[in-house]
Amino acid sequence: MLDDLYAGALADAEARRELVSLADVEAAALARPPAFDAVAALRPADRVKIIAEVKRSSPSRGDLSDIADPASLAVSYAAGGASAISVLTEGRRFKGTLADLEAVRHVVDVPVLRKDFIADPYQVFEARAAGADLVLLIVAGLSQPRLLELHDLVRSLGMTALIETHSADEVRRGLDAGAELLGVNARDLTTFELDRDLFGRLADGIPSGVVRIAESAVASPDDVAHYRRAGADVVLVGEALVTHGDPVDALTRFLEV
């Protein structure tokens, strides 16, 4: 599944490159105002922080929400206390677009994450050109040299990488790459199985100076509390927010833990 997701994302990026050259996307990226300081926004505090996600669909659950107006949803998230907004931009399985990210960037004053299957510098320049402050880099999908290359590029553009891991070895690789934000995804992207306790088993391997982010397997405030007790500074929540009738109410309950 992970290989298919990367192959599709790279094919779509290549199609966009045929319409807009790397040089033009790079120029647009460099012309953007400075990115928000995502590390400062997500730094550990006396209560958990939430990255709220704009997510229409997923390979594991299918359609979740139409989200005709991602900007409006993002405004609600920010008003509800989200410290950052994640926007799925992968189109084949998650039904997202870079236009969604651009729309969100125009209306919120918190960091915005491009969540996609990033494996090529072109995609990183696209992210900055669209206004992203954060870029997801998934260790399982990248060789160590490519991870280092993309992480360096992300930083050179003033953005921050959220380095996502699924094992102790991947945590070590993410730290070796210089991760400031390190996520542990409870969903194994090769099998799509969930393990809510994975974060707790890996958290001790993440130094205190690195922001610890728990991802996936969040359905209720109890799940957020579970991650917080295990040492999470930040919890990324998508499905539980977009399927709730009142996302602000859901977000408020998550933050109250």
Side-chain angles (χ1 to χ4, degrees):
M1 177 66 77
L2 187 61
D3 289 343
D4 288 345
L5 289 166
Y6 269 100
L10 287 170
D12 291 343
E14 186 58 35
R16 293 191 298 272
R17 194 196 313 252
E18 292 180 2
L19 299 175
V20 183
S21 71
L22 173 61
D24 287 344
V25 169
E26 183 175 354
L30 295 174
R32 293 287 310 190
F36 283 87
D37 186 342
V39 176
L42 298 173
R43 188 169 289 133
D46 57 0
R47 70 171 189 172
V48 72
K49 294 184 177 181
I50 299 291
I51 300 175
E53 193 158 82
V54 177
K55 181 178 184 179
R56 292 190 179 92
S57 181
S58 77
S60 60
R61 291 294 303 275
D63 291 343
L64 300 171
S65 175
D66 290 339
I67 312 183
D69 187 352
S72 177
L73 178 60
V75 168
S76 296
Y77 285 159
S83 294
I85 310 294
S86 170
V87 182
L88 262 301
T89 61
E90 195 277 341
R92 299 185 182 212
R93 300 296 187 97
F94 293 89
K95 299 185 179 179
T97 68
L98 279 165
D100 292 337
L101 192 150
E102 291 181 276
V104 169
R105 169 73 290 153
H106 284 307
V107 296
V108 298
D109 292 321
V110 297
V112 176
L113 165 69
R114 180 184 185 185
K115 196 173 184 192
D116 208 322
F117 299 89
I118 306 294
D120 186 279
Y122 185 85
Q123 296 167 291
V124 176
F125 285 117
E126 281 185 318
R128 182 83 279 265
D133 310 287
L134 290 144
V135 175
L136 182 71
L137 298 178
I138 303 173
V139 175
L142 302 168
S143 68
Q144 194 66 7
R146 181 46 63 99
L147 175 62
L148 290 167
E149 176 192 0
L150 294 175
H151 192 209
D152 286 348
L153 177 58
V154 167
R155 289 194 292 193
S156 75
L157 292 172
M159 297 185 292
T160 305
L162 167 52
I163 295 185
E164 179 177 295
T165 66
H166 305 81
S167 69
D169 179 63
E170 290 179 13
V171 168
R172 287 190 291 270
R173 286 181 56 198
L175 295 173
D176 287 346
E180 297 176 276
L181 307 177
L182 197 141
V184 175
N185 194 340
R187 188 177 299 281
D188 184 330
L189 293 180
T190 59
T191 65
F192 271 74
E193 294 179 356
L194 282 172
D195 180 357
R196 194 182 69 150
D197 295 321
L198 179 64
F199 177 88
R201 294 198 300 273
L202 299 182
D204 286 345
I206 305 172
S208 59
V210 177
V211 178
R212 303 172 182 180
I213 302 175
E215 306 173 47
S216 298
V218 178
S220 71
D222 287 343
D223 296 319
V224 177
H226 174 79
Y227 282 138
R228 183 64 168 171
R229 288 192 297 269
D233 304 308
V234 181
V235 178
L236 191 152
V237 188
E239 182 178 320
L241 293 177
V242 299
T243 58
H244 194 283
D246 185 343
V248 174
D249 176 68
L251 182 56
T252 298
R253 292 176 185 272
F254 291 147
L255 287 168
E256 285 175 351
V257 305

